[in-house]
Amino acid sequence: MSTTLFRTTHRIPILSAAAARLSSHTLISTTETELSQPPPPPPISSDIFLDLIRSSQWHFVEQLTCKLTPSLISTTLFNLVKTPDLALDFVDRVDLSCLDLPTQCLAIAVVSKLSSPKPAFRLLKQVITSSTSVRDVFDELVRARGRLETKSTILLDLLVRYCCQLKMVDEAIECFYLMKERGFDPKIETCNCILSLLSRLNLTEKAWVFYADMYRMEIKSNIYTYNIMINVLCKEGKLKKAKGMLGIMECFGVKPNIVTYNTLVQGYSSRGRIEGARMVIKEMKSKGFKPDLQTYNPILSWMCSEGRASEILREMKEIGVVPDSVSYNILIRGCSNKGDLETAFAYRDEMMRKGFAPTFYTYNTLIHGLFMENKIEAAEILIKEIREKGIALDAVTYNVLINGYCQHGDAKKAFALHDEMMTDGIEPTQFTYTSLIYVLCRRRKLREADELFENVVGKGMKPDLVMYNALMDGHCSAGNMDRAFSLLEEMDKMRISPDDVTYNCLMRGLCGEGKFKEARELMGEMKRRGIKPDHISYNTLISGYSKKGDTKQAFMVRDEMLSLGFNPTLLTYNAMLKGLSKNQDGRLAEELLMEMKSEGITPNDSTYCYVVEAMSNLEKDAE
């Protein structure tokens, strides 16, 4: 007898009866194979397999998993309904992707009987990832629920919640209505999950339709439901209605909580309605709620942009609310955006003294601010400081740096950082490639820009509107209008809707080639597609006509612009004055200069140069 056989025989007495029977199958098989190669032993019975699981002989179970049939697994799961923890141990040793959908869903149904929903949720993730249809998963979960004679709807609630986690809006809503169709009552928590997703995705109209259906189905709203719908109203700018929701809540016996009031404060603050926000704070205090950081940080964000942060900081101090890392990051961002980097760094230092470590957000904000102020050396020193602290750069930091160098035309450093990013195992994003395409276009390396664009598409990354606009702008600036319009066709094929930036690029390109009629027609196409021309659209046409010296058409476009409620800007006046200087129409130039001053627009050096050039003809006439 071989050594292996001797070892197996020696271990049999300490195994369960089922394991012994399994071992004897192996012994007989091995011995007979050596003699006459008989047919394979009969498949293991469900009783033996169940004994192995109940005695936790997982080594044998794992050896057999590749030979298990859906029928045997289903039978085993039915026998483990009363011990779902043991069922989970078994399922974790089986490759779910190898099973058919009914067996997968039966496994989830059995495991869902555990006190915690997390294991069932985890298994559901595996099934949905490998399944082609959420509807099929729903139908099989219903069947599994019926076979187990389960009254709970937790399986279906978990399915909806997972769809929400994946932002699968349509599938989540479909499952909700299927539940009602089959006679199951969705939990309010499940409804809130869908409402919350719709709110986060700014699908406010869908949120109201869904909320109305909940009301018709007599699904009672709770505090979380009302808080979500107040947030939806705030996003829509309907602040009065949002505040009015407080009274509706109380009519239905639901009292507002601090989250309710903080949601309203954020809504008012985001719209710059600081006095309204203060009124909400006053009301929440009268109801016994103490304002906290979630109350003040949104106000701080707006007041910081207005240069009035000190007012809020003083108020916070008076009631004992201490700024946290979020508060300091808001202050740093506000100062950086205004170009006040000295104060921004002072807040960074204060933040560290108070025991808050700067986050990636802190560093990224400061780096971005330094690039915006053209302080590239200081940005590089800050990056060196981050590296010396042993902090690995994240995707956002790389993107901030790459974009910063691209904005300053330094393609070499931008691409070096892209390569470093890849080496560090950080996948470049759409933003990364858009920045790189922009700098290549800016340096008139359009062939390389096209190649990079094709490589991005080849990797399976779908270009977005901003990326298309960056590439299109490069080609329009170079006069490659055929390529620019081919990109517009590609966008239509990919169902990426162009915006005003797209059309402004094309109009500028056409004006550059003197094709004013086509540029005008393009503005008409914008309107037909529901895209409203902006002041840049009109300034582009005015500038094009003025360069040609066609001041009559330039003034006609200016009049159209005024009739639509757009106020001329410095660019508008300078473009028109440039045309008048070309035609040496000094009298009209002088009138236009007086007009712009009366409109409160301060002339710059270019303005006066154009006026002087235009009036040179008057001087000649006087001589």
Side-chain angles (χ1 to χ4, degrees), residues 415 436-437 439-455 471 474-475 478 480 483:
F415 275 91
L436 294 171
I437 287 169
V439 76
L440 290 172
C441 289
R442 183 175 169 180
R443 295 176 68 85
R444 295 298 178 97
K445 295 184 177 181
L446 296 169
R447 183 175 58 81
E448 290 92 331
D450 279 332
E451 287 175 0
L452 180 58
F453 181 81
E454 294 304 323
N455 287 339
L471 186 57
H475 282 289
N480 300 335
R483 173 61 176 149

Side-chain angles (χ1 to χ4, degrees), residues 131-168:
S131 178
T132 55
S133 167
V134 172
R135 173 68 181 264
D136 290 343
V137 175
F138 180 90
D139 289 339
E140 287 302 334
L141 286 175
V142 170
R143 290 191 189 99
R145 181 181 175 278
R147 290 166 71 188
L148 295 177
E149 298 180 351
T150 303
K151 292 181 180 180
S152 170
T153 61
I154 187 170
L155 279 173
L156 309 177
D157 289 312
L158 287 176
L159 178 60
V160 173
R161 291 180 203 179
Y162 185 61
C163 287
C164 289
Q165 192 179 90
L166 293 181
K167 297 181 181 178
M168 298 165 67

Side-chain angles (χ1 to χ4, degrees), residues 346-477:
Y347 277 127
R348 190 277 305 262
D349 296 341
E350 183 182 323
M351 176 184 187
M352 292 174 72
R353 286 196 301 272
K354 294 288 178 69
F356 299 111
T359 62
F360 270 122
Y361 184 87
T362 316
Y363 286 117
N364 293 340
T365 303
L366 290 168
I367 292 164
H368 177 69
L370 289 167
F371 271 108
M372 290 292 286
E373 293 299 307
N374 204 27
K375 296 184 177 181
I376 299 170
E377 286 185 16
E380 290 173 343
I381 290 169
L382 188 56
I383 287 294
K384 186 180 178 183
E385 178 188 319
I386 294 169
R387 292 184 191 277
E388 285 174 352
K389 288 182 177 180
I391 302 171
L393 305 187
D394 68 353
V396 178
T397 313
Y398 273 115
N399 281 337
V400 169
L401 285 168
I402 289 169
N403 185 58
Y405 284 118
C406 288
Q407 292 296 326
H408 287 84
D410 195 337
K412 186 177 179 181
K413 283 188 177 178
F415 275 91
L417 281 163
H418 165 265
D419 295 342
E420 182 185 318
M421 187 180 188
M422 297 281 282
T423 304
D424 286 350
I426 300 171
E427 196 65 31
T429 63
Q430 284 180 333
F431 185 84
T432 318
Y433 288 118
T434 300
S435 298
L436 294 171
I437 287 169
Y438 166 82
V439 76
L440 290 172
C441 289
R442 183 175 169 180
R443 295 176 68 85
R444 295 298 178 97
K445 295 184 177 181
L446 296 169
R447 183 175 58 81
E448 290 92 331
D450 279 332
E451 287 175 0
L452 180 58
F453 181 81
E454 294 304 323
N455 287 339
V456 170
V457 175
K459 286 180 179 180
M461 183 182 288
K462 184 181 177 182
D464 62 1
L465 174 62
V466 183
M467 190 183 292
Y468 267 111
N469 283 346
L471 186 57
M472 188 181 289
D473 184 53
H475 282 289
C476 287
S477 298

Side-chain angles (χ1 to χ4, degrees), residues 49 65 67-81 87-88 90-112 120 123-124 126-128 130-131 136-145 147-148 155:
F49 190 60
T65 52
K67 300 175 184 178
L68 300 178
T69 63
S71 174
L72 178 57
I73 293 174
S74 296
T75 302
T76 304
L77 288 168
F78 272 115
N79 287 313
L80 294 173
V81 168
L88 178 62
F90 164 55
V91 171
D92 281 341
R93 288 169 170 80
V94 177
D95 184 359
L96 274 183
S97 62
C98 294
L99 304 179
D100 58 14
L101 189 56
T103 311
Q104 291 175 332
C105 290
L106 180 63
I108 295 167
V110 173
V111 172
S112 72
L123 296 177
L124 193 58
Q126 295 177 43
V127 172
I128 291 180
S130 60
S131 178
D136 290 343
V137 175
F138 180 90
D139 289 339
E140 287 302 334
L141 286 175
V142 170
R143 290 191 189 99
R145 181 181 175 278
R147 290 166 71 188
L148 295 177
L155 279 173

Side-chain angles (χ1 to χ4, degrees), residues 81-284:
V81 168
K82 293 182 179 178
T83 52
D85 52 340
L86 203 54
L88 178 62
D89 287 339
F90 164 55
V91 171
D92 281 341
R93 288 169 170 80
V94 177
D95 184 359
L96 274 183
S97 62
C98 294
L99 304 179
D100 58 14
L101 189 56
T103 311
Q104 291 175 332
C105 290
L106 180 63
I108 295 167
V110 173
V111 172
S112 72
K113 291 183 175 294
L114 287 166
S115 56
S116 169
K118 289 181 180 179
F121 197 72
R122 172 170 56 81
L123 296 177
L124 193 58
K125 284 183 182 181
Q126 295 177 43
V127 172
I128 291 180
T129 304
S130 60
S131 178
T132 55
S133 167
V134 172
R135 173 68 181 264
D136 290 343
V137 175
F138 180 90
D139 289 339
E140 287 302 334
L141 286 175
V142 170
R143 290 191 189 99
R145 181 181 175 278
R147 290 166 71 188
L148 295 177
E149 298 180 351
T150 303
K151 292 181 180 180
S152 170
T153 61
I154 187 170
L155 279 173
L156 309 177
D157 289 312
L158 287 176
L159 178 60
V160 173
R161 291 180 203 179
Y162 185 61
C163 287
C164 289
Q165 192 179 90
L166 293 181
K167 297 181 181 178
M168 298 165 67
V169 178
D170 294 336
E171 289 83 351
I173 293 174
E174 181 188 18
C175 288
F176 170 83
Y177 288 116
L178 283 171
M179 286 178 73
K180 292 301 294 182
E181 189 182 295
R182 306 284 178 90
F184 306 125
D185 292 326
K187 290 183 172 61
I188 184 59
E189 291 77 13
T190 302
C191 299
N192 289 343
C193 202
I194 295 174
L195 281 175
S196 180
L197 174 63
L198 293 171
S199 176
R200 288 199 309 276
L201 298 179
N202 295 318
L203 298 172
T204 56
E205 285 186 21
K206 280 191 175 183
W208 284 114
V209 170
F210 185 77
Y211 184 64
D213 284 344
M214 284 173 58
Y215 186 80
R216 279 193 292 271
M217 294 174 185
E218 298 182 354
I219 298 172
K220 192 176 180 181
S221 299
N222 61 15
I223 181 64
Y224 302 105
T225 319
Y226 285 114
N227 286 345
I228 293 165
M229 297 317 294
I230 287 172
N231 189 40
V232 168
L233 285 166
C234 289
K235 286 188 173 189
E236 292 178 322
K238 299 173 181 175
L239 301 176
K240 190 175 180 181
K241 286 186 177 180
K243 197 167 185 297
M245 187 73 86
L246 297 178
I248 296 171
M249 290 171 65
E250 291 180 345
C251 284
F252 284 98
V254 180
K255 291 185 177 180
N257 60 14
I258 192 166
V259 176
T260 315
Y261 288 109
N262 284 345
T263 302
L264 282 168
V265 170
Q266 184 171 6
Y268 276 98
S269 300
S270 64
R271 302 252 167 192
R273 302 274 299 277
I274 301 303
E275 289 311 310
R278 289 188 185 280
M279 289 292 289
V280 174
I281 292 174
K282 186 178 179 181
E283 184 175 335
M284 70 187 286

Side-chain angles (χ1 to χ4, degrees), residues 544-564:
Y545 282 122
S546 295
K547 283 179 183 176
K548 184 186 175 185
D550 192 345
T551 53
K552 183 180 178 181
Q553 287 294 331
F555 273 86
M556 285 177 67
V557 175
R558 193 279 301 261
D559 292 343
E560 182 183 335
M561 181 180 180
L562 287 168
S563 70
L564 292 169

